Amino acid sequence: MNLASSSSFSSSSHPLAPYGWDAEWESEFAPYTDQGCLPGRVVRVDRGQCDVVTADGVLRADTAFVTPHDPLRVVCTGDWVAVEPDGNPRYVRTYLPRRTAFVRSTSSKRSEGQILAANVDHAIVAVSLAAELDLARIERFLALAWESGAQPLVVLTKADLVPDPVTLAYLVQDVETAAPGVPVLSVSAEQGEGLDVLAAVVCGGTAVLLGQSGAGKSTLANALLGEDVMGVQAIRDVDGKGRHTTTTRNLLALPGGGVLIDTPGLRGVGLWDAGSGVDQVFAEIAELAEECRFHDCAHESEPGCAVLAAIDSGELPERRLESYRKLMRENQRIVAKTDARLRAEIRKEWKRRGAIGKAAMEAKRGGMR
């Protein structure tokens, strides 16, 4: 199909246009159009079912046909899907190939990844100024954001709690140092400060809101939506923490254009094969490493290490190197565990096939007697 050609689905007047439907998605969906399926975007998933916004409105659909053993291939919020044209219940036949995917490792010991949102253009990391900044946690979020393929953005919420502009400027600068190449905005949803800048950034695509519980995500989402859609719980003044106000991932069209996915507060943010994302977060270390004497320098005690030299000269904060080492070690562990799991599954499959072959051979021998 010629992507330059126009059609009802790619038209800005079509009901799916506010949710991100474009000519490329239309081209991907063409085979399912021929089969009579409806295109739609998943706005919510729970208990094996999902809400899908289509040209006919929001439909409830079953995901039983798309339930692989790999948790990274389940239907998730943000997916574009093909829905059966009729039936009770409706079924999601498949989802279209994802452009981006935000994935973290689960807290279980099974070394599995969990997909949080799909087809995201902007990953907004919300960080509350009601509590002391945790730069290492911000770096962790950003590593996953870069790995997803989305453009990260750090939003420092509750800026009205820091009335001194000089202090606020220093806080922004600290985050900028920990987030090279990432825009950092200070926002007060209560007073409306900075919201116009944020709305202008997210109006051109799909944004996902990420952060800990109490980071002000629901308040920020309500401010962007212009109405009280997400519930907001009171925050403890002593530590800036609060209860989860969002329990599912919800996709909502913004009045000024663009789409927003709000997520529950994330207690754990484990890396999932995010090596390139870590390198992106610590771009200055990767750049320095190119000057090391040894190409496989671990930046521990090797002679001619440009990274350690930068530490000694004060060019590179020691905290950054420690954070880099920690995230790299964690990522290497999860990759190793994942590879081990895959090898175990392959061996299990070989044994199963061997048993089938052995049984077939024995049956054949028995029939020849």
Side-chain angles (χ1 to χ4, degrees):
M1 179 179 293
N2 184 359
L3 296 185
S5 64
S6 61
S7 72
S8 59
F9 285 126
S10 59
S11 170
S12 60
S13 63
H14 191 274
L16 288 179
Y19 292 89
W21 185 259
D22 58 28
E24 291 183 19
W25 288 123
E26 182 183 355
S27 178
E28 291 278 2
F29 195 82
Y32 304 103
T33 300
D34 297 338
Q35 298 171 24
C37 291
L38 296 174
R41 194 165 195 192
V42 177
V43 298
R44 177 188 173 100
V45 178
D46 60 274
R47 299 180 182 178
Q49 293 187 315
C50 62
D51 293 336
V52 183
V53 60
T54 71
D56 294 337
V58 177
L59 305 177
R60 188 71 168 167
D62 198 300
T63 62
F65 287 165
V66 195
T67 54
H69 295 297
D70 187 347
L72 296 181
R73 296 183 181 178
V74 299
V75 173
C76 77
T77 304
D79 272 328
W80 283 100
V81 297
V83 182
E84 297 288 349
D86 48 34
N88 188 17
R90 295 284 186 93
Y91 284 94
V92 171
R93 182 175 296 183
T94 188
Y95 63 81
L96 299 184
R98 294 161 177 158
R99 294 178 182 174
T100 63
F102 193 94
V103 180
R104 68 167 177 174
S105 65
T106 61
S107 57
S108 70
K109 296 181 180 180
R110 298 177 61 186
S111 65
E112 292 181 340
Q114 178 190 22
I115 183 165
L116 300 180
N119 303 312
V120 172
D121 301 297
H122 306 283
I124 303 173
V125 180
V127 180
S128 172
L129 289 175
E132 185 177 354
L133 287 176
D134 186 343
L135 297 179
R137 178 169 287 270
I138 294 173
E139 289 162 345
R140 177 179 293 272
F141 270 107
L142 291 176
L144 292 178
W146 279 121
E147 192 69 33
S148 75
Q151 169 64 51
L153 168 68
V154 177
V155 173
L156 303 179
T157 66
K158 308 177 186 181
D160 52 288
L161 299 180
V162 187
D164 180 23
V166 176
T167 302
L168 181 59
Y170 276 122
L171 291 172
V172 171
Q173 186 177 25
D174 286 343
V175 177
E176 288 176 338
T177 301
V182 177
V184 180
L185 301 176
S186 59
V187 171
S188 170
E190 295 291 338
Q191 299 183 0
E193 296 176 359
L195 289 175
D196 54 342
V197 178
L198 179 59
V201 171
V202 302
C203 71
T206 298
V208 62
L209 262 176
L210 305 159
Q212 289 181 283
S213 181
K217 297 190 306 301
S218 294
T219 302
L220 191 60
N222 285 335
L224 290 171
L225 291 162
E227 54 183 318
D228 249 352
V229 175
M230 315 306 298
V232 179
Q233 297 279 4
I235 306 298
R236 298 196 298 260
D237 290 335
V238 63
D239 56 9
K241 296 181 180 179
R243 291 178 293 170
H244 296 285
T245 58
T246 303
T247 56
T248 59
R249 290 175 283 278
N250 303 281
L251 184 147
L252 301 157
L254 297 171
V259 175
L260 181 69
I261 299 176
D262 194 18
T263 65
L266 300 176
R267 289 190 179 94
V269 193
L271 299 186
W272 178 259
D273 197 4
S276 62
V278 174
D279 283 340
Q280 189 80 28
V281 174
F282 299 92
E284 79 277 32
I285 295 179
E287 185 176 343
L288 286 167
E290 294 180 358
E291 304 299 324
C292 292
R293 181 183 300 177
F294 304 108
H295 69 87
D296 58 347
C297 183
H299 320 308
E300 296 286 351
S301 57
E302 296 87 345
C305 175
V307 175
L308 294 180
I311 293 288
D312 293 338
S313 68
E315 177 187 352
L316 178 69
E318 190 169 356
R319 187 206 66 79
R320 286 281 285 171
L321 181 58
E322 287 302 317
S323 184
Y324 170 77
R325 286 170 174 165
K326 181 178 180 179
L327 292 183
M328 287 298 291
R329 285 195 297 266
E330 177 183 332
N331 193 67
Q332 289 166 356
R333 283 197 300 269
I334 193 66
V335 169
K337 286 173 64 178
T338 302
D339 288 346
R341 176 172 58 84
L342 290 175
R343 287 195 298 271
E345 290 177 353
I346 292 172
R347 285 196 297 269
K348 184 178 180 181
E349 179 65 14
W350 284 346
K351 289 181 180 179
R352 185 185 70 83
R353 292 182 180 181
I356 293 174
K358 183 178 180 181
M361 182 63 68
E362 290 176 352
K364 184 177 180 180
R365 288 174 179 171
M368 294 173 64
R369 291 174 183 173

